[in-house]
Amino acid sequence: MQLTRLRLSGFKSFVDPTEIAIAPGLTGVVGPNGCGKSNLLEAIRWVMGENRASAMRGEGMEDVIFAGAATRPAKGAAEVTLTLDNAARRAPPAFNTTDQIEVTRRITRDAGSVFRVGGREARARDIQMLFADASTGAHSPALVRQGQIAELIAARPKARRRILEEAAGISGLYARRHEAELKLSGTEANLARVADVLDALDQQRVALARQVKQAARYREIAADLRRAEGLLLLLSWQGASDEAGLAAQAVDAAMRAAGRAEAEVLASARAREAAEADLTPLREAEAVAGAILQRVLVEAEALAAAEHRAAAAIETTRSACAALLRDRAREETLTRDAAETLERLTWETGALAKADEGHEARLAQLKDAARAAGAVLADAEAAFDRLAEDAARLKARHQALTRRRDETAAAVARVMRERDAAAAAHAAIGPARDAAATQRAAAGAAQAVAQAAVEAAEARLTAAEAARARAEIAEAARRDALSVADGEVAALRAEAAGLDRLLAGARGRRPGILDAVRVAPGFEAALGAALGEDLRAPLADTGTGWAMLAAPLPDAPGPAGSEPLAPQVSAPGALARRLSQIFVAPRDAGDRLQVALRPGQRLVSPEGDLWRWDGLRLGADEAPSATAQHRYPAPCGPAAARQCRCGRRDGRRPPGRCTTRANSGSKCATATSARGPCTCASVSPRSAC
């Protein structure tokens, strides 16, 4: 078998469906590091039945599903399909029915993976045997991964033998032999288990035989025991009878002794009553003495508590006196310190007053000197600025000038020394100053040219931005037009598909009674609400559908203020019973007239509202029924000489089907569609009947 095609979807880095054709000969996939070349080999090994997550470079088998990126969400499943060429019909008999075999493996998060061959589910073992018969498989050395060449060079003889077996095409036989050996090992284990079970059963049989003998012996001993127990019970009953006679005699003697004891008890009771009468005064005296003793004890406890509180108060008073003495000593110390501080402050105030004499005059002199120094400093700074500007143009070191200016502000003397040095330097750098002036003029000309170029570039940029804005507006308009066109195309396709389904359904069924119904203009919605989908049923002489019943119903008039619908409808006689129970009334009167309906009657409005005798109410604002949307043929004559055509207010066809109604006058009725209102226009005359 030859591998012909590999299809991946959601497997590792292949988030989008990708298909790779494997042509005869050498097929190569070239790309930089990290582009996913190794993922193709892992996909082939995975679909061949690899179940080790480490072989897929992951911690779990669900790691083969695309985990998402910054711009793409994660996938919920991954699928790999490998197509095999089976034209030589070398596949196992279970899969050897077609020229091509598609092996698919799909894994879903939290649901595991499943194998399919030709669309039917298969076991992983069957897939592994399929590729083993083809001298390949998930663990085949023919699938060379990174680093496997070095492993094959350093492989042991056993691994090299495996390569030779695959080249000879007998690896499938070895796989089947290994499976048979496993089955034989399992069978031997089962036989050993059966032998163990038989041994256990023999032991149980011997134990059961011994128990049977013990049970027989138990039955014999139990019979002897029951006889001995019977004799013992008989002897016990005889002894009990004798003891009962003796007990009766003892009871008589006890009754006589009890009579004597009762007489003695009565005498004792009388003596006790007399003693209790003498004891009552003594108890009262004892109670009084106890109460006095209790009061004395309470008073003693109160005195002890008062003594304790007095001792505590004395101790507290002594502590307070000691604290007051300490506070008095501290206050005296503070008073002495305050007096000394006051004397020192008085002396310092006098000293300050003496020192302040003449201070204002000296302050004024210092202020005049400061102003003079400031003027001198200002002159020096101006001169230094001029000199520093020339020096900066030569050295292009603005930071040195700033540093010198800050240093000159520190002291007037230093500024004066630097001014003398600068005057000497000014005399020395005259030629350099002239050269700097020439360079400055050239730089000014170059700056003017650059400014002009910048202005021109800004003008071109403004024009380009305006053009881009116009292009974006045009693109948005084209996108809107394209969206509208796509919507119209989708609506037309959906309508065409719906018509095809209707036509396909109509070819396979009998025509309904709806095709034979004629209704007066303006009553289409009323008829649709009253009959609904029942008009889809065909006329039936035999079988299912509308049948003609000869016996008429008794006349049952409708509610006052309504009129029957039957005069507005031309229909087969099979609908006579149904139409005789339908009445038309204005919409605002329906709720009021519903209570007057008789069993089987219905009340409808011209707009499509429905009231039924059993309490059901349906509004006309629901989706129109197929009966209301049916194009009823208009009767011939001048009353139906005009017809409405429906479209959107902007002249385009709406994304849905409009309800077209024929009217007797020149005014069109308002039509609706499933996705928005339609405007009736383009009144055209009907063709001749």
Side-chain angles (χ1 to χ4, degrees):
M1 291 184 290
Q2 175 71 32
L3 306 182
T4 60
R5 187 177 295 105
L6 177 65
R7 186 166 62 251
L8 307 93
S9 176
F11 184 87
K12 288 197 171 182
S13 60
F14 295 91
V15 56
D16 296 321
T18 304
E19 184 170 337
I20 299 175
I22 306 175
L26 182 62
T27 300
V29 179
V30 181
N33 293 336
C35 68
K37 300 187 297 299
S38 300
N39 294 341
L40 297 176
L41 179 61
E42 292 177 359
I44 295 176
R45 297 181 63 187
W46 185 66
V47 76
M48 286 183 176
E50 180 61 66
N51 291 321
R52 295 176 303 162
S54 60
M56 298 289 105
R57 295 182 296 174
E59 296 181 357
M61 192 56 69
E62 292 185 356
D63 292 343
V64 302
I65 305 174
F66 178 69
T71 58
R72 300 292 297 270
K75 287 284 188 178
E79 182 176 292
V80 178
T81 301
L82 187 62
T83 304
L84 308 176
D85 184 7
N86 190 33
R89 300 301 177 100
R90 295 181 179 178
F95 309 124
N96 202 13
T97 58
T98 58
D99 293 339
Q100 286 189 347
I101 301 175
E102 285 191 354
V103 180
T104 302
R105 185 175 183 181
R106 181 180 178 85
I107 184 171
T108 307
R109 293 190 189 276
D110 302 328
S113 60
V114 62
F115 289 90
R116 289 187 176 87
V117 179
R120 295 178 299 176
E121 290 192 7
R123 300 181 305 168
R125 185 62 182 171
D126 298 335
I127 301 299
Q128 295 171 357
M129 293 303 300
L130 169 64
F131 288 105
D133 290 339
S135 297
T136 183
H139 305 107
S140 173
L143 300 177
V144 182
R145 64 181 184 276
Q146 293 180 359
Q148 192 171 359
I149 299 298
E151 294 179 5
L152 293 177
I153 293 174
R156 295 182 178 180
K158 185 176 181 180
R160 295 180 182 177
R161 177 185 177 184
R162 182 180 175 187
I163 298 173
L164 296 176
E165 290 174 353
E166 286 194 358
I170 61 175
S171 59
L173 298 178
Y174 276 98
R176 284 185 168 83
R177 186 184 72 176
H178 178 65
E179 185 177 0
E181 290 176 352
L182 293 178
K183 290 182 179 178
L184 289 175
S185 300
T187 303
E188 291 177 356
N190 292 334
L191 291 175
R193 179 61 179 165
V194 168
D196 294 339
V197 172
L198 291 176
D199 293 340
L201 292 177
D202 289 338
Q203 294 177 3
Q204 291 180 3
R205 182 179 58 80
V206 173
L208 291 174
R210 186 169 57 253
Q211 291 176 4
V212 167
K213 293 180 180 180
Q214 291 176 356
R217 180 61 178 166
Y218 171 76
R219 285 195 296 271
E220 294 176 359
I221 294 174
D224 295 341
L225 183 61
R226 283 194 295 273
R227 286 194 296 271
E229 288 178 350
L231 293 175
L232 180 61
L233 291 174
L234 177 61
L235 295 175
S236 299
W237 177 77
Q238 292 177 352
S241 298
D242 296 339
E243 291 178 357
L246 297 175
Q249 296 176 1
V251 166
D252 293 337
M255 291 296 293
R256 290 191 295 271
R260 291 192 296 272
E262 286 180 358
E264 293 176 357
V265 166
L266 291 175
S268 299
R270 286 193 293 270
R272 185 185 63 183
E273 291 177 356
E276 287 179 354
D278 297 337
L279 186 61
T280 299
L282 298 176
R283 288 180 176 176
E284 292 179 356
E286 182 182 5
V288 171
I292 294 171
L293 178 61
Q294 185 66 26
R295 185 169 63 251
V296 170
L297 292 175
V298 170
E299 290 178 355
E301 291 177 357
L303 291 174
E307 182 182 3
H308 181 70
R309 288 195 299 272
I314 291 170
E315 186 64 27
T316 302
T317 304
R318 289 176 180 175
S319 301
C321 290
L324 289 174
L325 292 175
R326 289 193 299 271
D327 292 342
R328 179 179 178 182
R330 186 175 62 256
E331 292 296 333
E332 289 177 354
T333 303
L334 293 176
T335 301
R336 287 193 300 272
D337 293 341
E340 293 175 357
T341 303
L342 181 60
E343 292 177 359
R344 186 174 64 256
L345 290 176
T346 303
W347 179 83
E348 289 178 356
T349 301
L352 290 175
K354 293 178 180 179
D356 191 46
E357 295 178 357
H359 177 71
E360 295 181 357
R362 290 196 299 273
L363 181 60
Q365 293 176 2
L366 292 175
K367 287 182 179 179
D368 294 339
R371 283 194 292 270
V376 174
L377 179 61
D379 295 339
E381 287 179 351
F384 181 75
D385 288 341
R386 290 192 299 271
L387 297 175
E389 183 178 359
D390 295 335
R393 291 185 183 279
L394 293 173
K395 297 180 181 180
R397 300 293 184 181
H398 179 68
Q399 294 180 355
L401 176 61
T402 304
R403 188 166 53 252
R404 291 177 184 176
R405 184 180 59 188
D406 294 338
E407 290 174 355
T408 56
V412 176
R414 183 179 178 184
V415 172
M416 296 300 292
R417 290 192 300 270
E418 290 181 357
R419 184 182 64 177
D420 297 337
H426 178 70
I429 62 173
R433 183 180 58 187
D434 297 336
T438 303
Q439 293 176 359
R440 182 176 59 185
Q447 183 180 5
V449 174
Q451 184 67 25
V454 169
E455 292 177 355
E458 289 180 352
R460 290 195 299 273
L461 178 60
T462 303
E465 290 180 351
R468 184 183 65 179
R470 291 193 297 272
E472 289 178 352
I473 294 173
E475 182 184 4
R478 293 191 186 94
R479 289 184 183 275
D480 294 340
L482 180 61
S483 299
V484 173
D486 291 341
E488 294 179 355
V489 169
L492 291 175
R493 288 178 179 174
E495 187 172 357
L499 292 175
D500 291 340
R501 288 194 297 270
L502 290 176
L503 291 175
R507 295 189 190 101
R509 63 176 179 84
R510 292 180 295 170
I513 198 172
L514 178 63
D515 298 334
V517 174
R518 305 293 184 271
V519 61
F523 290 91
E524 297 89 347
L527 180 64
L531 296 178
E533 300 300 324
D534 293 344
L535 290 181
R536 295 287 189 185
L539 284 170
D541 296 335
T542 59
T544 60
W546 288 93
M548 180 69 72
L549 300 179
L553 290 175
D555 293 334
S562 65
E563 58 180 1
L565 181 62
Q568 309 297 333
V569 180
S570 175
L575 291 177
R577 282 176 166 246
R578 185 70 171 272
L579 292 174
S580 64
Q581 303 298 317
I582 301 173
F583 300 91
V584 182
R587 171 180 286 183
D588 54 358
D591 296 341
R592 177 174 51 84
L593 299 179
Q594 185 179 12
V595 297
L597 292 174
R598 299 186 180 184
Q601 293 183 346
R602 301 187 179 194
L603 186 66
V604 294
S605 67
E607 293 80 9
D609 303 290
L610 171 66
W611 296 270
R612 220 161 62 183
W613 67 274
D614 53 2
L616 177 65
R617 298 178 183 179
L618 296 176
D621 53 349
E622 299 178 353
S625 63
T627 307
Q629 293 181 347
H630 182 71
R631 296 176 179 267
Y632 297 96
C636 297
R642 306 178 73 85
Q643 183 184 12
C644 283
R645 287 184 181 178
C646 296
R648 283 201 320 215
R649 291 185 175 88
D650 55 2
R652 297 178 180 177
R653 188 173 185 179
R657 180 179 298 176
C658 284
T659 302
T660 303
R661 300 179 180 174
N663 297 275
S664 59
S666 60
K667 183 178 180 181
C668 288
T670 301
T672 59
S673 72
R675 298 187 182 180
C678 300
T679 303
C680 287
S682 302
V683 178
S684 60
R686 286 183 57 85
S687 59
C689 295

